[in-house]
């Protein structure tokens, strides 16, 4: 791994044979296009067909609904919209999985979560988030990378957007370090590894946070504790091999 060129990444050959969890992060603005039920099934098949050597893998879909409350839109309006989107998407995905029951015989290996459940899966998220904001405010490099993320996605660097990105990357960091209890009937919280999956490259600020590792967390058992699987390019992005000076999010 040390001889590999920076910012050059490849697909996964095989997932570990031990029990593990794939986490599909679902953006609310992608549920009707890149992350609709049909695309999710394509992504699942890509990972399940050739990369799973033993039937020890569960998959949790995580809807980022509550994260989108960093908004000036009225809360009741957002609640109604997100509730309908999540229910429709969940039912559509589950219907396709059940339809393919011969292909996906371990039906209880699939789990659906909303963002709120992540808060109750850990005891100290508020404290961690407050600490991270203090680190961000005092770290010019962190601010620079987050600004570049905003520019890459055409977002204004206002308080809501900064908080959105900081909470998102903190949650993904804690998940990859096994700091959040995840419900999955099949795996039963006995996972030896976790892999975050999303269609797109990780943010610069996310990579920087993992490289910084501000809370000194280490789950050495997990080979993916500093990685994200890009479902779009089908590459494993190893944050330890990212050169942020030349790395491009998009």
């Amino acid at each position: 791994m040390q001889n590999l060129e920076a910012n050059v990444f490849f697909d996964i050959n095989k997932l570990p044979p031990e029990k593990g969890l794939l986490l599909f992060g679902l953006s609310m603005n992608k549920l009707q296009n890149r992350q609709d039920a049909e695309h999710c099934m394509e992504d699942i098949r890509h990972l399940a067909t050739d990369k799973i050597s033993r039937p020890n893998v569960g998959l949790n879909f995580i809807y980022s609904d509550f994260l989108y409350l960093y908004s000036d839109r009225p809360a009741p309006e957002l609640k109604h919209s997100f509730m309908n989107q999540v229910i429709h998407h969940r039912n559509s995905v589950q219907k396709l999985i059940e339809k393919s029951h011969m292909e996906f015989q371990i039906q209880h290996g699939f789990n659906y979560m909303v963002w709120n459940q992540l808060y109750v899966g850990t005891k100290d998220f508020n404290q961690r988030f407050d600490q991270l904001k203090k680190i961000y405010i005092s770290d010019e490099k962190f601010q620079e990378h987050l600004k570049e993320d905003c520019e890459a996605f055409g977002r204004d660097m206002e308080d809501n957007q900064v908080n959105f990105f900081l909470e998102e990357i903190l949650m993904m960091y804690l998940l990859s370090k096994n700091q959040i209890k995840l419900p999955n009937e099949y795996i039963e919280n006995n996972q030896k590894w976790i892999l975050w999956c999303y269609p797109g490259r990780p943010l610069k600020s996310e990579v920087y946070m993992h490289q910084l590792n501000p809370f000194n967390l280490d789950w050495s058992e997990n080979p993916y504790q500093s990685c994200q699987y890009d479902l779009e390019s089908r590459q494993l992005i190893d944050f330890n091999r990212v050169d942020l000076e030349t790395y491009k999010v998009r």
Side-chain angles (χ1 to χ4, degrees), residues 93-111:
V93 172
Q94 188 61 30
K95 184 177 180 180
L96 292 177
I97 290 172
E98 290 172 355
K99 186 177 180 180
S100 304
H101 63 276
M102 293 302 295
E103 184 178 4
F104 303 112
Q105 296 186 27
I106 307 174
Q107 297 274 306
H108 60 295
F110 296 93
N111 182 273

Side-chain angles (χ1 to χ4, degrees), residues 51 126 173 186 205:
K51 305 187 186 306
N126 283 340
Y173 167 82
Y186 182 57
S205 52

Side-chain angles (χ1 to χ4, degrees), residues 116-130:
N116 283 16
Q117 289 173 267
L118 299 176
Y119 297 142
V120 298
T122 182
K123 297 178 181 179
D124 57 357
F125 186 82
N126 283 340
Q127 293 92 324
R128 298 276 196 190
F129 187 62
D130 289 342

Side-chain angles (χ1 to χ4, degrees), residues 3-246:
N3 296 324
L4 293 175
E5 184 179 351
N7 297 338
V8 176
F9 307 102
F10 305 94
D11 201 351
I12 295 171
N13 182 23
K14 291 289 184 182
L15 292 165
E18 296 82 15
K19 284 189 175 182
L21 282 172
L22 297 170
L23 306 182
F24 274 32
L26 300 171
S27 294
M28 302 309 293
N29 58 7
K30 287 185 169 64
L31 294 187
Q32 296 180 6
N33 41 76
R34 176 56 184 87
Q35 292 190 292
D36 63 17
E38 289 74 18
H39 281 94
C40 283
M41 291 301 295
E42 290 176 14
D43 292 333
I44 293 170
R45 286 191 170 95
H46 169 68
L47 289 166
T49 302
D50 299 320
K51 305 187 186 306
I52 295 179
S53 55
R54 296 181 64 185
N56 285 330
V57 181
L59 192 154
N60 280 27
F61 296 96
I62 301 178
Y63 296 93
S64 56
D65 55 344
F66 204 78
L67 187 59
Y68 281 74
L69 292 183
Y70 286 116
S71 170
D72 294 327
R73 290 173 58 189
E77 177 185 327
L78 291 172
K79 176 189 179 300
H80 180 74
S81 173
F82 295 158
M83 179 181 66
N84 288 338
Q85 289 182 67
V86 168
I87 291 173
H88 174 74
H89 186 271
R90 185 267 179 201
N91 289 344
S92 298
V93 172
Q94 188 61 30
K95 184 177 180 180
L96 292 177
I97 290 172
E98 290 172 355
K99 186 177 180 180
S100 304
H101 63 276
M102 293 302 295
E103 184 178 4
F104 303 112
Q105 296 186 27
I106 307 174
Q107 297 274 306
H108 60 295
F110 296 93
N111 182 273
Y112 304 85
M113 303 178 62
V114 291
W115 199 259
N116 283 16
Q117 289 173 267
L118 299 176
Y119 297 142
V120 298
T122 182
K123 297 178 181 179
D124 57 357
F125 186 82
N126 283 340
Q127 293 92 324
R128 298 276 196 190
F129 187 62
D130 289 342
Q131 288 177 286
L132 182 64
K133 289 182 73 172
K134 290 177 181 177
I135 293 168
Y136 167 79
I137 290 170
S138 64
D139 189 328
E140 292 184 1
K141 273 290 184 184
F142 205 163
Q143 296 169 33
E144 178 186 332
H145 292 315
L146 198 143
K147 180 181 179 182
E148 291 171 332
D149 291 332
C150 288
E151 291 173 350
F153 289 92
R155 309 282 176 81
D156 293 328
M157 197 171 172
E158 55 185 8
D159 288 344
N160 274 337
Q161 187 61 59
V162 170
N163 286 329
F164 182 107
F165 277 153
L166 289 178
E167 179 167 333
E168 182 180 44
I169 65 176
L170 174 59
M171 198 69 83
M172 289 186 285
Y173 167 82
L174 294 175
L175 285 165
S176 68
K177 303 294 185 181
N178 205 32
Q179 296 295 302
I180 301 176
K181 189 172 182 179
L182 294 166
N184 186 286
E185 184 180 350
Y186 182 57
I187 299 300
E188 296 181 324
N189 210 41
N190 291 314
Q191 64 271 8
K192 303 300 181 183
W193 58 268
I194 285 173
L195 176 58
W196 182 266
C197 306
Y198 186 79
R201 285 188 152 206
L203 301 173
K204 277 195 167 188
S205 52
E206 178 186 358
V207 174
Y208 180 75
M209 181 177 171
H210 275 266
Q211 292 180 350
L212 187 66
N213 193 13
F215 301 112
N216 297 314
L217 299 177
D218 181 38
W219 185 24
S220 56
E221 193 172 22
N222 180 20
Y224 307 124
Q225 67 167 327
S226 295
C227 297
Q228 175 179 308
Y229 188 75
D230 179 3
L231 293 165
E232 196 65 43
S233 66
R234 295 184 174 178
Q235 295 177 339
L236 181 70
I237 311 299
D238 183 344
F239 301 154
N240 295 317
R241 294 198 299 104
V242 172
D243 175 11
L244 282 168
E245 297 302 316
T246 57

